Amino acid sequence: KNTVVIVGAGSTHTPGIIQSLLQKKEEFPLKKLILFDIDEERMNMVKSIMTQFIEEAYENLEVISTSDYKEAFTDVDFVFAQIRQGGLKMRSCDEKIPLKYGVVGQETCGPGGSISYGIRSIPAVIEIIRQAKKYSPNCWILNYSNPAAVVAEATRREFGNERILNICDMPVAILLSYSKMLGLKDWTELDPEYFGLNHFGWFTALYDKTGKDRLPELRKLILENGMTACSDKHHKDKDWQKTWKQYAEIIKDYPEYLPNSYLQYYLYSSDVVKKMDPSYTRADMVINGREKEMIEEYQKYLANPSEYKSPIQEFTVFGDFIVDAAASIAYNKGYRYLVIVENNGAIPNLPSDVMVEVPAYLRSWGPEAISRKPISTFYKGLIENQAASEKLAVDAYFENSYDKALQAIAINKTIPSTNIAKAILDDFIEANGEYWPRL
Ligand code: G6P
Ligand code: MN
């Protein structure tokens, strides 16, 4: 049985994760569940809304909430880390500053994602992992704190990614949509071939259970009807619908593979900027939309639990994926998932020390990445450019280097000119204040 600590437990993603943990109690039984957050009010709300469901699933499960490292990390088997340093307020700065200069403003892509949020997130994630390893040296850390690509590179340098697995739910969310469009039951019905970086990769084949590649058929479906199934609840609102619509358009121009939807920020930067409102970005939509609605739901439920069946309407792939990944590691099941690992030859013509997103079998001793043939020039060029930007952001953090931070921004494909890179960097330094080291 497993003791799990959810770090960043006050997040509106947490109820979905707990729900998955409860639903999968046979595959991944719990001994104890620990909730950790610096925002105790949010965390305790999440705890209260989940109490009844936990009691229905487990007779006597010990559940604690804490903001103390020792209490959180002593004798744990798995750490699920999903922190957002600076909260949605800082997400808003990451998005708005680049947009001021006509550059993509996005949570994980372009300069706001890789550099502003990256440099802010690194020390926070490192601290969590350090504390976890101090109190439970053998625990596994499943980290999906963003920007995952930059965070994964930083944890590689700091810890060699020993018992750390960096993951992202986006490939799974996309796969779920694909599987629905193909009339399949679930994302686990498709075995993908995929290469790239986090939020920067391509599906090259999608095998169903009979071994047939369904990618060509799916591409036709998307071209004819668009992305008709947007599967999981976190990617369903109007703004994400826009993303899926644009996604269908990329496929026309790049017919070879199926890209991760985030590639639109790099391949159509200026078109995307035209569609963004620099004074009302995704952070505002999340604050005034999903966050507000979910908190209202929680409060309604807490006021009258007997009338509400569940404050969580649907299961999320986010929760299911992390629990399945943990089960695969805990019980050496060898599930094949897309995860972020050190390249080491998985993509033979990329450097070995780049953190890539590829299929891997999850074993109790760690992920075993699948190696495939070299990638062609277009993809190699794009990936090397993006990886350089991410590595430079991590250099900037570890070396406290203004010059490296400037290079990280200037080299990014979303940036038209170095003057703009410099102006954006200077604004980031001011906006991030104490969150950033002094460069
Ligand atoms: C996907 C990505 C996450 C990202 C999220 C943002 O799930 O994989 O990395 O955090 O989308 O969604 P939001 O609705 O908050 O913009
Ligand atoms: Mn992600």
Side-chain angles (χ1 to χ4, degrees), residues 13 84 88 91 95 106-108 144 146 148 168-171 173 198-199 232 234-235 237 239-240 262 282-283 286 290 318:
H13 286 295
R84 183 187 282 288
L88 288 164
R91 174 177 182 176
E95 293 166 347
Q106 215 279 330
E107 175 201 26
T108 60
Y144 41 111
N146 267 328
C168 161
D169 66 320
M170 201 63 219
N198 175 241
H199 291 188
D232 100 297
H234 282 295
H235 301 104
D237 61 46
D239 195 49
W240 271 100
Y262 281 94
R282 182 69 200 155
V286 173
R290 185 173 70 223
F318 194 71

Side-chain angles (χ1 to χ4, degrees), residues 4 16-17 39 79 103 106 121 131 150 166 201-202 210 226 243 247 252 275 297 299 301 340 405 436:
V4 171
I17 298 172
D39 185 337
V79 177
V103 170
Q106 215 279 330
S121 202
Q131 295 287 346
V150 174
N166 296 286
W202 289 264
T210 70
T243 298
Y247 178 77
K252 265 187 247 156
K275 292 179 193 155
E297 275 301 295
Q299 281 162 346
Y301 167 78
I340 306 162
W436 268 26

Side-chain angles (χ1 to χ4, degrees), residues 114-168:
S114 306
I115 292 92
S116 181
Y117 190 16
I119 296 179
R120 188 168 73 246
S121 202
I122 292 170
V125 173
I126 286 180
E127 179 62 9
I128 293 291
I129 296 178
R130 197 176 283 143
Q131 295 287 346
K133 285 182 173 292
K134 175 172 157 196
Y135 293 110
S136 289
N138 289 322
C139 72
W140 264 95
I141 293 143
L142 304 194
N143 179 53
Y144 41 111
S145 308
N146 267 328
V150 174
V151 166
E153 169 64 13
T155 61
R156 183 186 72 82
R157 293 196 205 177
E158 185 71 23
F159 304 104
N161 279 338
E162 183 63 35
R163 285 179 171 260
I164 299 170
L165 184 67
N166 296 286
I167 56 176
C168 161

Side-chain angles (χ1 to χ4, degrees), residues 87 119 215 217 231 299 421:
I119 296 179
L215 193 144
E217 176 189 345
S231 46
Q299 281 162 346

Side-chain angles (χ1 to χ4, degrees), residues 43-61:
M43 169 167 63
N44 287 326
M45 180 166 64
V46 168
K47 190 177 172 205
S48 334
I49 65 155
M50 294 313 292
T51 303
Q52 186 193 334
F53 305 102
I54 294 171
E55 283 168 0
E56 278 167 17
Y58 279 91
E59 224 162 86
N60 273 316
L61 182 69

Side-chain angles (χ1 to χ4, degrees), residues 196-268:
L197 311 170
N198 175 241
H199 291 188
F200 203 97
W202 289 264
F203 292 93
T204 61
L206 296 163
Y207 297 109
D208 66 16
K209 289 297 173 207
T210 70
K212 184 171 176 224
D213 180 9
R214 306 292 291 271
L215 193 144
E217 176 189 345
L218 182 68
R219 181 185 312 110
K220 255 182 82 195
L221 282 175
I222 299 174
L223 279 174
E224 280 163 17
N225 312 317
M227 286 287 282
T228 47
C230 300
S231 46
D232 100 297
K233 89 170 172 197
H234 282 295
H235 301 104
K236 254 190 186 148
D237 61 46
K238 243 167 94 205
D239 195 49
W240 271 100
Q241 295 300 328
K242 220 166 66 191
T243 298
W244 297 122
K245 204 159 155 233
Q246 285 158 197
Y247 178 77
E249 280 162 26
I250 314 184
I251 290 165
K252 265 187 247 156
D253 293 334
Y254 295 97
E256 198 170 16
Y257 303 136
L258 289 179
N260 190 305
S261 58
Y262 281 94
L263 275 155
Q264 58 189 266
Y265 297 111
Y266 299 95
L267 298 174
Y268 298 86

